[in-house]
Amino acid sequence: MAKHTAQTRRGEIVRLATTSGLASVEELSDQLGVTASTIRRDLAKLTAQGKLARTYGGVMSLAHHPEASLRQRLGEAHAAKRDIARWAADQIEPGETVLLDAGSTMGALADAITKTPELTELTVVTAGISAMATLTDSVGIDVIALGGRLRPLSQAFVGPLTEAAVQRMSFDRAFMGADSVHAERGICEADLEQTRLKELMMSRAEHTYVLAHADKLGQSPFHAWAVMPSRWTLVTDESADPLALQAFRDNDVEVVIAPRRD
């Protein structure tokens, strides 16, 4: 492979991050034929220029805010998602009907539910394929799948058929995922179809919980927003910035920091 100048190499890094949505130091080092330390210096420069943002596991282009796929998100903040999911599972009572939104944290919650044997006669409603797959063989759990149009990036169903199903149900608890969550604006997603569905889900629930690890707090990566109900709970992890959490408390949001578990 021909050697890149610093300028062309950095341009290629931005291109790769934009087209793939996420690029790691190791991947960039292999593809561009330079050392990891050189890549780290390039990333520091590009981040300072506002062309990239550091994320769990790599970098993301700021030029187009590409939406990460569910597969890409599975490796992000794994321990934090596990702790958040375990806390959420502990809130569920036997016999309840609960809604699980789509996403990697919801997959972790579905897994935590299967490992909580006292949760019997439970009904779980979900539009997320990962949660459906995890709960398929669970004894004592009735799974209701919300159909509709499959959205490949998020591996979830959306659209009018999904919304129609939600409008005919109610839930003791709704557990919501988010691309990001803002104290004043609410839940941020890549498109309005997703945010419309989330609003409907939350409106049908007695209790609403937004499960979001620390990196998702206070961010605005897209321009579609879900308006929050008057009462809801943010569940995050121990690495969350205290100032970010205070912004939610100042807006009368209940904040829970999930304890770390080994």
Side-chain angles (χ1 to χ4, degrees):
M1 177 182 292
K3 292 292 184 182
H4 295 77
T5 66
Q7 182 176 356
T8 58
R9 185 177 63 246
R10 289 167 187 164
E12 182 68 359
I13 290 172
V14 173
R15 186 191 71 80
L16 289 169
T18 300
T19 55
S20 68
L22 189 70
S24 70
V25 171
E26 292 75 18
E27 290 171 343
L28 293 170
S29 176
D30 290 342
Q31 292 190 46
L32 299 177
V34 295
T35 65
S37 60
T38 297
I39 292 296
R40 291 190 183 95
R41 287 193 294 271
D42 287 339
L43 297 182
K45 181 76 171 180
L46 292 167
T47 302
Q49 293 174 345
K51 296 180 179 179
L52 294 178
R54 298 305 298 263
T55 69
Y56 272 94
V59 291
M60 179 177 287
S61 169
L62 291 178
H64 304 290
H65 296 302
E67 181 186 1
S69 68
L70 179 63
R71 181 176 176 273
Q72 290 168 329
R73 294 179 184 182
L74 286 174
E76 299 176 5
H78 178 75
K81 291 176 183 178
R82 179 198 61 206
D83 293 338
I84 291 169
R86 288 175 176 174
W87 182 91
D90 288 344
Q91 310 315 302
I92 302 171
E93 299 288 343
E96 288 189 335
T97 295
V98 299
L99 179 133
L100 271 59
D101 193 11
S104 55
T105 306
M106 296 304 117
L109 175 53
D111 182 65
I113 289 172
T114 65
K115 294 175 180 176
T116 309
E118 59 267 28
L119 289 180
T120 58
E121 299 181 8
L122 189 68
T123 299
V124 177
V125 182
T126 184
I129 289 178
S130 61
M132 293 177 197
T134 299
L135 295 168
T136 297
D137 297 323
S138 299
V139 177
I141 298 177
D142 185 23
V143 179
I144 298 178
L146 298 172
R149 180 179 65 82
L150 178 63
R151 193 171 186 275
L153 267 179
S154 54
Q155 291 291 288
F157 293 102
V158 295
L161 293 177
T162 320
E163 294 171 10
V166 171
Q167 288 174 321
R168 286 158 176 78
M169 306 179 72
S170 61
F171 318 106
D172 294 296
R173 305 175 197 274
F175 297 95
M176 310 303 298
D179 280 348
S180 67
V181 58
H182 192 280
E184 297 177 355
R185 296 179 178 178
I187 292 175
C188 185
E189 293 292 341
D191 65 51
L192 293 169
E193 197 169 36
Q194 291 174 286
T195 54
R196 167 62 180 167
L197 179 59
K198 288 179 186 290
E199 288 181 359
L200 284 173
M201 289 173 167
M202 293 187 288
S203 73
R204 307 296 293 177
E206 184 70 23
H207 302 284
T208 295
Y209 306 83
V210 177
L211 311 185
H213 64 77
D215 274 10
K216 294 186 174 185
L217 306 184
Q219 304 300 310
S220 304
F222 305 110
H223 296 289
W225 295 90
V227 177
M228 305 305 294
S230 58
R231 295 186 300 110
W232 61 283
T233 301
L234 169 67
V235 188
T236 189
D237 64 278
E238 293 182 347
S239 68
D241 183 344
L243 290 178
L245 297 180
Q246 189 58 47
F248 287 93
R249 294 187 178 105
D250 289 344
N251 281 274
D252 297 323
V253 177
E254 180 184 12
V255 175
V256 172
I257 300 175
R260 184 175 302 169
R261 304 188 190 183
D262 297 328

